[in-house]
Amino acid sequence: MKNVLLVFLGGGAGSILRYLISDYTQKLWKINAFPMGTFVVNILGCCIIGFLTSYFLKADNYLKYLLITGFCGGFTTFSTFSAESFSLWQNQNYTALFLYIILSVVLGFGAVILGMKIHTSWL
């Protein structure tokens, strides 16, 4: 039951922070066709989860439920990424769609690696 509560709390905090960062980013960069808010949140989330995963490989404890499953799960959003991709496709904005998908996957993967490298360099 403790782990469920930790996931709940982390997920709520991650979701609120996702909303705030995404909303601010979208207002800061007024790129109408490109979902910059979700993009920034997902890349940042990949870096965070890479860092945390690297940490919890050596220090397995209950905080991984709060931070990885809860916070990162609430912070990043694959469902919004998919819906925004579909919207770009429906609007026949194929250039933005292609860039969004490719950049999200490639930079997301790179951000996970970066997060892990940041953690290991701190040791």
Side-chain angles (χ1 to χ4, degrees):
M1 191 62 173
K2 179 180 179 181
N3 293 345
V4 172
L5 180 60
L6 290 170
V7 170
F8 173 76
L9 293 172
S15 295
I16 291 168
L17 191 58
R18 175 185 70 225
Y19 169 76
L20 294 172
I21 291 174
S22 181
D23 187 56
Y24 178 75
T25 301
Q26 206 62 41
K27 288 176 183 173
L28 183 64
W29 286 306
K30 296 182 192 273
I31 304 171
N32 293 335
F34 196 86
M36 187 60 82
T38 304
F39 178 74
V40 167
V41 163
N42 283 341
I43 300 305
L44 181 58
C46 287
C47 188
I48 293 168
I49 204 166
F51 179 88
L52 292 172
T53 299
S54 181
Y55 173 78
F56 286 112
L57 286 174
K58 296 181 178 149
D60 188 26
N61 65 42
Y62 64 91
L63 284 177
K64 69 181 178 184
Y65 297 105
L66 176 74
L67 299 173
I68 294 176
T69 307
F71 180 79
C72 289
F75 185 65
T76 60
T77 172
F78 187 74
S79 58
T80 302
F81 164 76
S82 299
E84 289 171 342
S85 296
F86 181 75
S87 178
L88 291 170
W89 178 68
Q90 263 189 326
N91 293 325
Q92 298 178 347
N93 195 337
Y94 301 117
T95 302
L97 171 65
F98 177 76
L99 283 171
Y100 188 42
I101 291 172
I102 296 302
L103 289 173
S104 292
V105 172
V106 171
L107 293 178
F109 182 70
V112 169
I113 293 169
L114 177 65
M116 292 181 132
K117 288 192 179 293
I118 289 170
H119 175 261
T120 56
S121 70
W122 284 6
L123 297 176

